[in-house]
Amino acid sequence: MMNQNQIFLKTPLGTARISGDEEGIWAIQILDEQIPTSTEIPDFLQPAAQQLNDYFKGELQEFSLKLNPKGTNFQQKVWKALSEIPFGKTCSYLELSRKLGDEKAVRAVASANGKNPLWVVIPCHRVIGSDRSLTGYAGGLHRKQWLLNHENNTSQLSMF
């Protein structure tokens, strides 16, 4: 029997598990195992599935979903700040800490970033090291690089 609070969606980076209910989406995770795409999608999960598909097709730059992630007040504050990083842009953990008002909190900010339950929708992949290097990413650095490349689609640049 299917869990009515989650669906599976094929993406270019693997299978995404989307979990939520009428109150909002509480988790989107990328899985390493291949699970068939869900054929029955509850109404409250349809917008998330559609918007993720549109994002990966290059047709969506900003998600507009009802979100309900579970976390501490500090984590919620970090995740809100992450959501404000524009599509195609990056910032460092230090810059994010400064934005939140305490540059000494860089490790706590990095920890909250790593606990982001909403893969891609809350764009933790847009946070990089102060030296502009790719740093830890729960979904794997290859996925982080892919997402950053996707958002800075160089194939759209003119060759002339």
Side-chain angles (χ1 to χ4, degrees), residues 87-157:
F87 181 90
K89 304 288 184 200
T90 58
C91 82
S92 71
Y93 291 100
L94 182 58
E95 290 166 335
L96 193 58
S97 297
R98 285 180 180 146
K99 181 178 182 187
L100 290 165
D102 184 2
E103 70 179 52
K104 291 186 180 82
V106 70
R107 287 183 190 268
V109 167
S111 175
N113 195 50
K115 291 178 173 65
N116 169 23
L118 290 160
W119 179 67
V120 178
V121 174
I122 293 178
C124 58
H125 61 277
R126 296 180 189 153
V127 182
I128 58 175
S130 293
D131 61 359
R132 312 306 292 161
S133 66
L134 292 187
T135 54
Y137 185 64
L141 289 181
H142 66 289
R143 289 188 177 114
K144 183 172 191 163
Q145 184 67 66
W146 191 98
L147 290 166
L148 292 173
N149 289 345
H150 175 68
E151 293 186 5
N152 289 289
N153 189 348
T154 53
S155 67
Q156 292 180 359
L157 296 176

Coordinates of all heavy atoms in Angstrom, one line a residue, residues 87-157:
F87 N 18.1 32.6 -7.8 CA 18.5 31.6 -8.8 C 19.7 32.0 -9.5 O 19.8 33.2 -9.9 CB 17.3 31.5 -9.7 CG 17.4 30.4 -10.8 CD1 17.0 29.1 -10.6 CD2 18.0 30.8 -12.0 CE1 17.2 28.2 -11.6 CE2 18.2 29.8 -13.0 CZ 17.8 28.5 -12.8
G88 N 20.6 31.1 -9.7 CA 21.8 31.4 -10.5 C 22.9 32.1 -9.7 O 24.0 32.4 -10.2
K89 N 22.7 32.4 -8.4 CA 23.7 33.1 -7.6 C 24.1 32.2 -6.5 O 23.5 31.2 -6.2 CB 23.1 34.4 -6.9 CG 22.5 35.3 -7.9 CD 23.5 36.1 -8.7 CE 22.9 37.1 -9.6 NZ 23.8 37.5 -10.7
T90 N 25.3 32.5 -5.9 CA 25.8 31.8 -4.7 C 26.2 32.7 -3.6 O 26.3 33.9 -3.9 CB 27.0 30.9 -5.1 OG1 28.1 31.8 -5.6 CG2 26.7 29.9 -6.2
C91 N 26.4 32.2 -2.4 CA 26.9 33.0 -1.3 C 27.7 32.0 -0.5 O 27.5 30.8 -0.6 CB 25.9 33.7 -0.6 SG 25.0 32.8 0.7
S92 N 28.6 32.5 0.3 CA 29.4 31.7 1.2 C 28.7 31.5 2.5 O 27.8 32.3 2.9 CB 30.8 32.3 1.4 OG 30.7 33.4 2.3
Y93 N 29.2 30.5 3.3 CA 28.6 30.3 4.6 C 28.9 31.6 5.5 O 28.0 31.9 6.3 CB 29.3 29.1 5.3 CG 28.9 27.8 4.7 CD1 29.7 27.1 3.7 CD2 27.6 27.2 5.0 CE1 29.3 25.9 3.2 CE2 27.3 26.0 4.4 CZ 28.1 25.4 3.5 OH 27.8 24.2 2.9
L94 N 30.0 32.2 5.3 CA 30.3 33.4 6.1 C 29.4 34.5 5.7 O 28.8 35.2 6.6 CB 31.8 33.8 5.8 CG 32.2 35.1 6.6 CD1 32.1 34.9 8.1 CD2 33.7 35.4 6.2
E95 N 29.1 34.7 4.4 CA 28.2 35.8 4.0 C 26.8 35.5 4.5 O 26.1 36.4 5.0 CB 28.1 35.8 2.4 CG 29.4 36.4 1.8 CD 29.4 36.1 0.3 OE1 28.8 35.1 -0.2 OE2 30.1 36.8 -0.4
L96 N 26.4 34.2 4.5 CA 25.1 33.9 5.1 C 25.0 34.2 6.6 O 24.0 34.7 7.1 CB 24.8 32.4 4.8 CG 23.4 31.9 5.0 CD1 22.4 32.7 4.1 CD2 23.3 30.4 4.6
S97 N 26.1 33.8 7.3 CA 26.2 34.1 8.7 C 26.1 35.6 9.0 O 25.3 36.0 9.9 CB 27.5 33.6 9.3 OG 27.5 32.2 9.2
R98 N 26.7 36.4 8.2 CA 26.7 37.8 8.4 C 25.3 38.3 8.1 O 24.8 39.2 8.8 CB 27.7 38.5 7.4 CG 29.1 38.4 7.9 CD 30.0 39.1 6.9 NE 31.4 39.0 7.3 CZ 32.4 38.9 6.5 NH1 32.3 38.9 5.2 NH2 33.7 38.8 7.0
K99 N 24.6 37.8 7.1 CA 23.3 38.2 6.8 C 22.3 37.9 8.0 O 21.4 38.7 8.2 CB 22.8 37.5 5.5 CG 21.4 37.9 5.1 CD 20.9 37.2 3.9 CE 19.5 37.7 3.6 NZ 18.8 37.1 2.5
L100 N 22.6 36.8 8.7 CA 21.8 36.4 9.8 C 22.2 37.2 11.1 O 21.6 37.0 12.1 CB 21.9 34.9 10.0 CG 21.2 34.1 9.0 CD1 21.6 32.6 9.0 CD2 19.7 34.2 9.1
G101 N 23.2 38.0 11.0 CA 23.6 38.9 12.1 C 24.7 38.4 13.0 O 25.0 39.1 14.0
D102 N 25.4 37.3 12.7 CA 26.4 36.8 13.5 C 27.4 36.0 12.7 O 27.2 34.8 12.5 CB 25.8 36.0 14.7 CG 26.9 35.5 15.7 OD1 28.1 35.9 15.5 OD2 26.5 34.8 16.6
E103 N 28.5 36.7 12.3 CA 29.5 35.9 11.5 C 30.2 34.8 12.3 O 30.8 33.9 11.7 CB 30.5 36.9 10.9 CG 31.5 37.6 11.8 CD 32.4 38.5 11.0 OE1 32.0 39.3 10.2 OE2 33.6 38.3 11.2
K104 N 30.1 34.9 13.6 CA 30.7 33.8 14.4 C 29.9 32.5 14.4 O 30.3 31.5 14.8 CB 30.9 34.3 15.9 CG 32.0 35.3 16.0 CD 32.2 35.7 17.5 CE 33.3 36.7 17.6 NZ 32.8 38.1 17.5
A105 N 28.7 32.6 13.9 CA 27.8 31.5 13.8 C 28.0 30.6 12.6 O 27.1 29.8 12.2 CB 26.3 32.0 13.9
V106 N 29.1 30.8 11.9 CA 29.3 30.1 10.6 C 29.1 28.6 10.7 O 28.5 28.0 9.8 CB 30.6 30.6 9.9 CG1 31.8 30.1 10.6 CG2 30.6 30.2 8.5
R107 N 29.6 28.0 11.7 CA 29.5 26.5 11.9 C 28.1 26.1 12.1 O 27.6 25.1 11.6 CB 30.4 26.0 13.0 CG 31.9 26.0 12.6 CD 32.7 25.4 13.8 NE 34.1 25.6 13.5 CZ 34.9 24.8 12.9 NH1 34.4 23.7 12.4 NH2 36.2 25.1 12.8
A108 N 27.4 26.9 12.9 CA 26.0 26.6 13.2 C 25.1 26.8 11.9 O 24.2 26.0 11.7 CB 25.4 27.5 14.3
V109 N 25.4 27.8 11.2 CA 24.8 28.0 9.9 C 25.0 26.9 8.9 O 24.1 26.4 8.3 CB 25.2 29.4 9.3 CG1 24.7 29.5 7.8 CG2 24.6 30.5 10.1
A110 N 26.3 26.4 8.9 CA 26.6 25.3 8.0 C 25.9 24.0 8.4 O 25.4 23.3 7.6 CB 28.1 25.1 8.0
S111 N 25.8 23.9 9.8 CA 25.1 22.7 10.3 C 23.6 22.7 9.9 O 23.0 21.7 9.4 CB 25.2 22.6 11.8 OG 24.5 21.5 12.3
A112 N 23.0 23.9 10.1 CA 21.5 24.0 9.7 C 21.4 23.8 8.2 O 20.4 23.2 7.8 CB 21.0 25.4 10.2
N113 N 22.3 24.4 7.4 CA 22.3 24.2 6.0 C 22.3 22.7 5.6 O 21.5 22.3 4.8 CB 23.5 24.9 5.4 CG 23.4 25.1 3.9 OD1 22.4 25.6 3.4 ND2 24.5 24.7 3.2
G114 N 23.1 21.9 6.3 CA 23.2 20.5 6.1 C 22.0 19.7 6.5 O 21.8 18.6 6.0
K115 N 21.2 20.3 7.3 CA 19.9 19.6 7.8 C 18.7 20.1 7.0 O 17.6 19.7 7.3 CB 19.7 19.9 9.3 CG 20.8 19.1 10.1 CD 20.6 19.4 11.6 CE 21.4 18.6 12.5 NZ 22.9 18.9 12.4
N116 N 18.9 20.9 6.0 CA 17.8 21.4 5.1 C 17.0 20.2 4.6 O 17.5 19.3 3.9 CB 18.4 22.1 4.0 CG 17.4 22.5 2.9 OD1 16.2 22.5 3.1 ND2 17.8 22.7 1.7
P117 N 15.7 20.1 5.0 CA 14.9 19.0 4.6 C 14.3 19.1 3.2 O 13.6 18.2 2.7 CB 13.8 18.9 5.6 CG 13.6 20.4 6.0 CD 15.0 21.0 5.9
L118 N 14.4 20.3 2.6 CA 13.7 20.5 1.3 C 14.7 20.7 0.1 O 15.0 21.8 -0.3 CB 12.8 21.7 1.4 CG 11.6 21.4 2.4 CD1 10.9 22.7 2.9 CD2 10.6 20.5 1.6
W119 N 15.3 19.6 -0.3 CA 16.2 19.6 -1.4 C 15.8 20.4 -2.6 O 14.6 20.4 -3.0 CB 16.5 18.1 -1.8 CG 17.4 17.9 -2.9 CD1 18.8 18.1 -2.9 CD2 17.1 17.4 -4.3 NE1 19.3 17.8 -4.1 CE2 18.3 17.4 -5.0 CE3 16.0 17.0 -4.9 CZ2 18.4 17.0 -6.3 CZ3 16.0 16.6 -6.2 CH2 17.3 16.6 -6.9
V120 N 16.6 21.2 -3.1 CA 16.4 22.1 -4.3 C 15.5 23.3 -4.0 O 15.8 24.4 -4.3 CB 16.0 21.4 -5.5 CG1 15.7 22.3 -6.7 CG2 17.0 20.3 -6.0
V121 N 14.3 23.0 -3.4 CA 13.3 24.1 -3.1 C 13.9 25.1 -2.1 O 13.8 26.3 -2.4 CB 12.0 23.5 -2.6 CG1 11.0 24.5 -2.1 CG2 11.4 22.6 -3.6
I122 N 14.6 24.7 -1.1 CA 15.4 25.6 -0.2 C 16.8 25.3 -0.7 O 17.4 24.3 -0.5 CB 15.2 25.2 1.3 CG1 13.8 25.6 1.7 CG2 16.2 26.1 2.1 CD1 13.5 25.2 3.2
P123 N 17.3 26.3 -1.5 CA 18.5 26.1 -2.3 C 19.9 26.1 -1.5 O 20.7 26.9 -1.7 CB 18.5 27.2 -3.3 CG 17.8 28.3 -2.5 CD 16.8 27.7 -1.6
C124 N 20.0 25.1 -0.6 CA 21.3 25.0 0.1 C 22.5 24.7 -0.8 O 23.6 25.0 -0.5 CB 21.2 24.0 1.2 SG 20.8 22.3 0.6
H125 N 22.2 24.3 -2.1 CA 23.3 24.0 -3.0 C 23.9 25.3 -3.5 O 25.0 25.3 -4.0 CB 22.7 23.2 -4.2 CG 21.7 24.0 -5.0 ND1 20.3 23.9 -4.6 CD2 21.7 24.7 -6.1 CE1 19.6 24.6 -5.5 NE2 20.4 25.1 -6.4
R126 N 23.3 26.5 -3.2 CA 23.8 27.8 -3.6 C 24.8 28.3 -2.6 O 25.4 29.4 -2.8 CB 22.7 28.8 -3.8 CG 21.8 28.3 -5.0 CD 20.7 29.3 -5.2 NE 19.7 28.8 -6.2 CZ 18.4 29.1 -6.2 NH1 17.9 30.0 -5.3 NH2 17.6 28.6 -7.1
V127 N 25.1 27.6 -1.5 CA 26.1 28.0 -0.5 C 27.4 27.3 -0.8 O 27.4 26.1 -0.9 CB 25.6 27.8 0.9 CG1 26.6 28.3 1.9 CG2 24.2 28.4 1.1
I128 N 28.5 28.1 -0.9 CA 29.8 27.6 -1.2 C 30.8 28.1 -0.2 O 30.5 29.0 0.6 CB 30.2 28.0 -2.7 CG1 30.2 29.5 -2.8 CG2 29.3 27.3 -3.7 CD1 30.7 30.0 -4.2
G129 N 32.0 27.6 -0.3 CA 33.1 28.1 0.6 C 33.5 29.5 0.3 O 33.3 30.0 -0.8
S130 N 34.1 30.1 1.3 CA 34.5 31.5 1.1 C 35.6 31.7 0.0 O 35.7 32.7 -0.6 CB 35.2 32.0 2.4 OG 34.2 32.2 3.4
D131 N 36.3 30.6 -0.3 CA 37.2 30.6 -1.4 C 36.6 30.2 -2.7 O 37.3 30.0 -3.7 CB 38.4 29.7 -1.1 CG 38.0 28.2 -0.9 OD1 36.8 27.9 -1.0 OD2 38.9 27.4 -0.7
R132 N 35.3 30.2 -2.7 CA 34.4 29.9 -3.9 C 34.4 28.4 -4.3 O 34.0 28.0 -5.3 CB 34.8 30.7 -5.2 CG 35.0 32.2 -5.0 CD 33.9 33.0 -4.3 NE 32.7 33.1 -5.2 CZ 31.5 33.3 -4.7 NH1 31.3 33.6 -3.4 NH2 30.4 33.4 -5.5
S133 N 35.0 27.6 -3.4 CA 35.0 26.1 -3.7 C 33.7 25.5 -3.3 O 33.0 26.0 -2.5 CB 36.1 25.5 -2.9 OG 35.9 25.5 -1.5
L134 N 33.4 24.4 -3.9 CA 32.3 23.6 -3.5 C 32.6 22.9 -2.2 O 33.7 22.4 -2.0 CB 32.0 22.5 -4.5 CG 31.5 22.9 -5.9 CD1 31.1 21.6 -6.7 CD2 30.3 23.8 -5.8
T135 N 31.7 23.0 -1.2 CA 32.0 22.4 0.1 C 30.9 21.4 0.3 O 30.0 21.2 -0.5 CB 32.0 23.5 1.2 OG1 30.8 24.2 1.1 CG2 33.2 24.4 1.0
G136 N 30.9 20.7 1.4 CA 30.0 19.6 1.7 C 28.6 19.8 1.2 O 28.0 20.9 1.3
Y137 N 28.0 18.7 0.8 CA 26.6 18.8 0.3 C 26.0 17.4 0.6 O 26.5 16.4 0.1 CB 26.6 19.1 -1.2 CG 25.2 19.3 -1.7 CD1 24.4 20.3 -1.3 CD2 24.7 18.4 -2.7 CE1 23.1 20.5 -1.8 CE2 23.4 18.6 -3.2 CZ 22.6 19.6 -2.8 OH 21.4 19.8 -3.3
A138 N 24.9 17.4 1.3 CA 24.3 16.1 1.7 C 23.9 15.2 0.5 O 24.0 14.0 0.6 CB 23.0 16.4 2.6
G139 N 23.6 15.8 -0.6 CA 23.2 15.0 -1.8 C 24.4 14.6 -2.6 O 24.3 14.0 -3.6
G140 N 25.6 15.0 -2.2 CA 26.8 14.7 -2.9 C 27.3 15.9 -3.7 O 26.5 16.6 -4.3
L141 N 28.6 16.1 -3.8 CA 29.2 17.2 -4.5 C 28.9 17.2 -6.0 O 28.7 18.2 -6.6 CB 30.7 17.3 -4.3 CG 31.1 17.8 -2.9 CD1 32.6 17.9 -2.8 CD2 30.4 19.1 -2.5
H142 N 28.8 16.0 -6.6 CA 28.4 15.9 -8.0 C 27.0 16.5 -8.3 O 26.8 17.1 -9.3 CB 28.5 14.4 -8.5 CG 27.5 13.5 -7.9 ND1 27.6 13.1 -6.6 CD2 26.4 12.9 -8.5 CE1 26.5 12.3 -6.4 NE2 25.8 12.2 -7.5
R143 N 26.1 16.3 -7.4 CA 24.8 16.9 -7.5 C 24.8 18.4 -7.3 O 24.1 19.1 -8.0 CB 23.8 16.2 -6.6 CG 23.4 14.8 -6.9 CD 22.3 14.2 -6.1 NE 22.0 12.9 -6.5 CZ 22.1 11.8 -5.7 NH1 22.7 11.9 -4.5 NH2 21.8 10.6 -6.1
K144 N 25.6 18.8 -6.4 CA 25.7 20.3 -6.1 C 26.2 20.9 -7.4 O 25.7 22.0 -7.8 CB 26.6 20.5 -4.9 CG 26.7 22.0 -4.5 CD 27.5 22.1 -3.2 CE 27.5 23.5 -2.7 NZ 27.8 23.6 -1.3
Q145 N 27.3 20.4 -7.9 CA 27.9 20.9 -9.1 C 26.9 20.9 -10.3 O 26.8 21.9 -11.0 CB 29.1 20.1 -9.6 CG 29.9 20.7 -10.7 CD 30.5 22.1 -10.4 OE1 31.4 22.1 -9.6 NE2 30.0 23.1 -11.0
W146 N 26.1 19.9 -10.4 CA 25.1 19.8 -11.5 C 24.1 20.9 -11.3 O 23.7 21.6 -12.3 CB 24.4 18.4 -11.5 CG 23.6 18.1 -12.7 CD1 23.9 17.4 -13.8 CD2 22.2 18.6 -12.9 NE1 22.9 17.4 -14.7 CE2 21.8 18.1 -14.2 CE3 21.3 19.3 -12.2 CZ2 20.6 18.4 -14.7 CZ3 20.1 19.6 -12.7 CH2 19.7 19.1 -14.0
L147 N 23.6 21.1 -10.1 CA 22.6 22.1 -9.8 C 23.1 23.5 -10.1 O 22.4 24.3 -10.8 CB 22.1 22.0 -8.4 CG 21.2 20.7 -8.1 CD1 21.1 20.6 -6.6 CD2 19.9 20.8 -8.8
L148 N 24.3 23.8 -9.7 CA 24.9 25.1 -10.0 C 25.1 25.3 -11.5 O 24.8 26.4 -12.0 CB 26.2 25.3 -9.2 CG 26.1 25.3 -7.7 CD1 27.4 25.3 -7.0 CD2 25.3 26.6 -7.3
N149 N 25.5 24.3 -12.2 CA 25.7 24.4 -13.6 C 24.3 24.6 -14.3 O 24.2 25.4 -15.2 CB 26.3 23.1 -14.2 CG 27.8 23.0 -13.9 OD1 28.4 24.0 -13.4 ND2 28.4 21.9 -14.0
H150 N 23.3 23.9 -13.8 CA 21.9 24.0 -14.3 C 21.4 25.4 -14.2 O 20.8 25.9 -15.1 CB 21.0 23.0 -13.6 CG 19.6 23.0 -14.0 ND1 19.1 22.7 -15.2 CD2 18.5 23.5 -13.3 CE1 17.8 22.8 -15.2 NE2 17.4 23.3 -14.1
E151 N 21.7 26.0 -13.1 CA 21.2 27.4 -12.8 C 22.0 28.4 -13.5 O 21.6 29.6 -13.7 CB 21.2 27.6 -11.3 CG 20.1 26.8 -10.6 CD 19.9 27.1 -9.2 OE1 20.5 28.1 -8.7 OE2 19.1 26.4 -8.5
N152 N 23.2 28.1 -14.0 CA 24.0 29.0 -14.8 C 24.3 28.4 -16.1 O 25.4 28.2 -16.6 CB 25.4 29.2 -14.1 CG 25.2 30.0 -12.8 OD1 25.0 31.2 -12.9 ND2 25.4 29.4 -11.7
N153 N 23.2 28.0 -16.8 CA 23.2 27.3 -18.0 C 24.1 27.9 -19.1 O 23.6 28.8 -19.8 CB 21.8 27.1 -18.5 CG 21.7 26.1 -19.7 OD1 22.7 25.7 -20.3 ND2 20.5 25.7 -20.0
T154 N 25.3 27.4 -19.2 CA 26.2 28.0 -20.2 C 25.9 27.6 -21.6 O 26.3 28.2 -22.5 CB 27.6 27.6 -19.8 OG1 27.7 26.2 -19.7 CG2 28.2 28.2 -18.6
S155 N 25.0 26.6 -21.8 CA 24.7 26.2 -23.1 C 23.8 27.2 -23.8 O 23.6 27.2 -25.0 CB 24.0 24.8 -23.1 OG 22.7 24.9 -22.5
Q156 N 23.2 28.2 -23.0 CA 22.4 29.2 -23.6 C 23.2 30.4 -24.1 O 22.6 31.3 -24.7 CB 21.3 29.7 -22.5 CG 20.3 28.6 -22.2 CD 19.3 29.1 -21.2 OE1 19.3 30.2 -20.7 NE2 18.3 28.3 -20.9
L157 N 24.5 30.4 -23.8 CA 25.3 31.5 -24.3 C 25.5 31.4 -25.8 O 25.7 30.3 -26.3 CB 26.7 31.5 -23.6 CG 26.7 31.7 -22.1 CD1 28.1 31.5 -21.5 CD2 26.1 33.0 -21.7

